[in-house]
Amino acid sequence: MDWESIDTYAKKWVKEAGQMIRASFDKTLNIQTKSDPNDLVTNIDQEIEQFFISKIREIFPNHRILGEEGFGDELTSSKGIVWLIDPIDGTMNFIHQQRNFAISLGIYEGGVGKIGLVYDVVHDELYHAISGKGAYMNDKQLLPLKEVGVKESIIALNATWVLENERIDHQLLIPLVKEARGTRSYGSAALEIIFVATGRVDAYISLRLSPWDFAAGAVILEELGGIVTNLRGEKLDYLSKDSLLVAKPGLHEIILKEYLKEGKW
Ligand code: IPD
Ligand code: CA
Ligand code: CA
């Protein structure tokens, strides 16, 4: 498979989509809700997903597509080449802040990550990796991640998970929050994984994400020696919703063994 050539197309389309998103800043958005009042979608999320799908179908008609907004294929297996698309990850930020969101595009073969692209549109920063060929921010190569302990680490997680919630006993994560140097929450899973990849934070935890949220970031992070699993320490299957623990090497093991062992994730 000519991954370099697929990567070249993907990068070109991501940049074009970024330009479309920037152009939308001056226009009125059509905002709707999905599963709950805080689960938002705009006409731009939908247009960008459709843009990618029309390009992929034209050049790679045999590839399959899993897109958040539902314009792709219904996938029941990870066979062949699959594009996992989140046209805007961080839609709430896109609507409220016009920043802190990204386009996330992962390309997998047989469930194995081959290409990851996360485009921070507002900063014009394209994070990208082809598996085995290093990870980059624009043309700058990113450095392998170094080990770090909990006391020196910044953990990205949403405050929801340390408040009473439906998914977990909220007490479980409190010791980790207390021991870490600090916590952050940015509202875009794809960017938060990239922040681990670039060392801006040391770990990111979420209780429920979809494959299009983490597929691209995972390829980039693993290329740098970062570890990507669910909160039980298992590999993700890239077709199902799951919890997520991404962290620098060493820290991942400590969080899993010392802080998450009691949980039913
Ligand atoms: C959301 C963001 C958010 C995460 C949510 C995701 P969306 O994606 O990544 O940070 O906490 O679980 O659904 O809906 O903005 O693409
Ligand atoms: Ca998302
Ligand atoms: Ca989205």
Side-chain angles (χ1 to χ4, degrees), residues 39-103:
D39 186 8
L40 306 172
V41 61
T42 74
N43 54 312
I44 306 300
D45 298 65
Q46 293 170 333
E47 281 165 29
I48 298 297
E49 181 163 315
Q50 284 167 318
F51 165 78
F52 282 120
I53 291 176
S54 69
K55 296 288 187 190
I56 298 163
R57 297 250 189 264
E58 184 193 334
I59 308 290
F60 304 111
N62 300 330
H63 294 187
R64 297 184 305 150
I65 302 163
L66 186 64
E68 170 167 23
E69 307 310 339
F71 299 106
D73 302 305
E74 294 240 342
L75 296 192
T76 49
S77 84
S78 54
K79 270 205 308 226
I81 298 183
V82 177
W83 294 59
L84 296 111
I85 305 174
D86 192 338
I88 298 181
D89 182 60
T91 297
M92 196 186 292
N93 292 345
F94 168 64
I95 295 168
H96 286 253
Q97 309 175 336
Q98 298 193 332
R99 64 190 69 203
N100 301 321
F101 64 87
I103 299 171

